[in-house]
Amino acid sequence: MPGALEGLKVVDLSRVLGGPYCAQMLADHGADVIKIEPPQGDETRLWGPPFDQDGISAYYAGINRNKRTVALDLAKPDGRTVLLKLLEGADVLIENFKTGTMEKWGLGYDTLAQRYPTLVHARVSGFGADGPLGGYPGYDAMVQASAGLVSVNGAPEAGPVRIGVPVVDLSTGMNACIGILMALFERSKSGKGQFVDATLYDSAIALHQPHAPNYFMAGLKPKLYGNSHGNLAPYANFPTKGRNIVIGAGNDGQFRKLCAMLGKPEMADDPRFKTNKDRLANKAAMEEQLAALTKDRDGEAFANELMMNGVPSGAVQEVPDVMEHPHTKHRNMVWEKDGYRNVGNPVKLSRTPPRVRSKPRKYGIDTRAVLAEHGFSDNEIDKLIASGVALTEIRKA
């Protein structure tokens, strides 16, 4: 079954996480993604261990499947000439070079738009090209800090902490992907490409739900709530005799049902706990009573029982448990091919589902084939490789 994006040609110049994740989202749905790496390779190739039998790091493998890999030295004029040839017929260009680099090379959006008017040019950057922070480099943890996400994550006794997954990089990659698809849809009407500007800073700020609305409406500065919530109670992590469980009663009916299932229905009629506003005002006392009622329960079984009865809950699972969980497999969220095993694509389409077509590939393995496909003769390819413009092996520092 062909993917939804079959026939879409994407040239991916990006490295590390946000850009490659965006390109992988497109590739999983059938786009022909040509990943172009610099002479030293995408740095995540070295972010290990672990490494597989081909020497590919797990970090790199997680965000670079379904792509063909080519290596070019774009610092050389001949490398840029090759890139321009590869861009012929391309629908999308993704890059995350330091702001100004593409312009310095004569490959900025304004220049490329003249030559390829239908091209959608997507740039992933830390802070954008201008403004007080424009042009600064951006890495996930640093932007989590500067955009306020670290300040709202953690417990009062421990202080602010970084969110444990690179949520800013990943959300920026998703936003870039959404922007590309929007631009392609608009192109179907106008016939013109456009520039997609996705920054880590913007993406991080957009994640401030409900903290930004709370601030804008009431001037509230977020506090650290640990495993509980500033707008909803109960919404917290509770002890059991096994795994802890997270329980979130989003309305008064769910709270009443929770109390009944814990064997203390009268708790729902306590004036301190009757409404969400009451429960927030008396959260410490309420959580203490609930913890006393959950501590002797079997965590996973009770979480499932609550869910079956309409009370949102979940046992605190660890990564190995999740990856081997029957529902993870049922949702096709673990993909396997030729020894490769990783998380699947979360965007499911009924007629054209995403799939793994090729596992992450060795550095430069497709350089010769892709250049030949774009009109370069064997002799020309040999010369490009001999001169270091095109590569099939990582250039040692």
Side-chain angles (χ1 to χ4, degrees):
M1 179 71 68
L5 299 177
E6 185 179 21
L8 191 76
K9 179 181 176 183
V10 179
V11 175
D12 176 20
L13 300 181
S14 65
R15 312 173 332 278
V16 190
L17 183 48
Y21 185 69
C22 169
Q24 180 173 275
M25 292 285 287
L26 300 172
D28 285 351
H29 282 276
D32 177 19
V33 175
I34 301 171
K35 180 180 177 71
I36 298 178
E37 297 185 59
Q40 69 274 18
D42 185 321
E43 41 271 61
T44 61
R45 285 187 178 275
L46 301 177
W47 288 10
F51 298 94
D52 69 9
Q53 66 274 14
D54 293 324
I56 296 173
S57 73
Y59 201 109
Y60 179 90
I63 47 177
N64 285 290
R65 64 177 170 238
N66 288 333
K67 304 176 186 180
R68 294 190 285 170
T69 176
V70 173
L72 291 175
D73 188 347
L74 297 180
K76 296 177 182 289
D78 287 346
R80 301 195 287 275
T81 300
V82 174
L83 173 62
L84 292 172
K85 187 72 173 175
L86 298 186
L87 284 173
E88 292 178 3
D91 299 286
V92 179
L93 170 66
I94 303 171
E95 50 96 356
N96 63 349
F97 287 107
K98 183 179 178 182
T99 302
T101 300
M102 291 288 281
E103 288 74 14
K104 180 185 70 176
W105 287 341
L107 299 172
Y109 171 70
D110 291 340
T111 302
L112 292 179
Q114 293 293 320
R115 184 163 182 161
Y116 312 107
T118 63
L119 182 69
V120 173
H121 182 156
R123 174 172 294 162
V124 172
S125 67
F127 299 91
D130 48 25
L133 301 177
Y136 287 177
Y139 273 73
D140 183 277
M142 295 73 193
V143 177
Q144 281 194 33
S146 62
L149 291 179
V150 172
S151 76
V152 301
N153 191 57
E157 59 274 15
V161 295
R162 178 180 68 87
I163 299 169
V165 295
V167 63
V168 175
D169 277 331
L170 294 173
S171 64
T172 306
M174 292 178 188
N175 289 336
C177 184
I178 293 167
I180 287 167
L181 297 176
M182 288 177 175
L184 290 171
F185 178 76
E186 193 279 336
R187 188 183 71 173
S188 70
K189 295 178 287 184
S190 69
K192 298 178 181 179
Q194 58 182 301
F195 187 71
V196 177
D197 182 13
T199 77
L200 275 66
Y201 189 71
D202 295 355
S203 298
I205 290 175
L207 292 172
H208 273 295
Q209 178 66 28
H211 308 298
N214 288 344
Y215 168 72
F216 290 132
M217 183 174 287
L220 296 178
K221 178 183 176 181
K223 299 177 182 178
L224 292 177
Y225 291 104
N227 287 310
S228 66
H229 198 288
N231 291 68
L232 178 63
Y235 197 100
N237 189 326
F238 294 96
T240 74
K241 66 180 182 181
R243 302 179 186 276
N244 282 12
I245 57 174
V246 175
I247 300 172
N251 56 54
D252 297 340
Q254 289 177 345
F255 181 67
R256 184 169 293 277
K257 193 175 293 185
L258 169 64
C259 294
M261 292 180 68
L262 285 169
K264 197 169 182 179
E266 65 273 17
M267 187 175 170
D269 295 315
D270 188 318
R272 297 173 299 169
F273 310 141
K274 291 196 74 171
T275 69
N276 185 65
K277 184 177 180 181
D278 299 325
R279 292 190 290 274
L280 280 172
N282 299 281
K283 184 163 59 173
M286 179 202 62
E287 289 183 352
E288 184 179 358
Q289 288 196 36
L290 290 176
L293 296 170
T294 63
K295 66 180 178 64
D296 293 324
R297 300 275 182 156
D298 179 290
E300 196 163 358
F302 187 54
N304 289 335
E305 184 183 345
L306 287 169
M307 293 262 277
M308 284 188 287
N309 284 277
V311 179
S313 63
V316 178
Q317 305 277 13
E318 296 185 359
V319 171
D321 305 314
V322 175
M323 297 307 159
E324 305 301 332
H325 196 283
H327 196 69
T328 303
K329 295 177 181 178
H330 175 76
R331 293 295 304 168
N332 193 31
M333 280 307 295
V334 173
W335 285 1
E336 298 184 53
K337 186 177 181 67
D338 301 332
Y340 167 82
R341 190 166 184 249
N342 219 305
V343 295
N345 193 297
V347 180
K348 307 292 197 294
L349 300 179
S350 61
R351 287 190 298 102
T352 55
R355 63 189 177 92
V356 56
R357 290 174 286 114
S358 65
K359 65 181 185 178
R361 296 170 69 74
K362 292 180 180 179
Y363 176 86
I365 196 171
D366 300 303
T367 296
R368 287 184 175 275
V370 170
L371 294 188
E373 182 183 299
H374 286 79
F376 291 90
S377 68
D378 288 344
N379 186 50
E380 288 172 324
I381 295 170
D382 288 340
K383 288 181 178 178
L384 288 169
I385 291 174
S387 65
V389 169
L391 300 95
T392 57
E393 296 181 357
I394 289 178
R395 182 183 297 166
K396 304 299 182 183

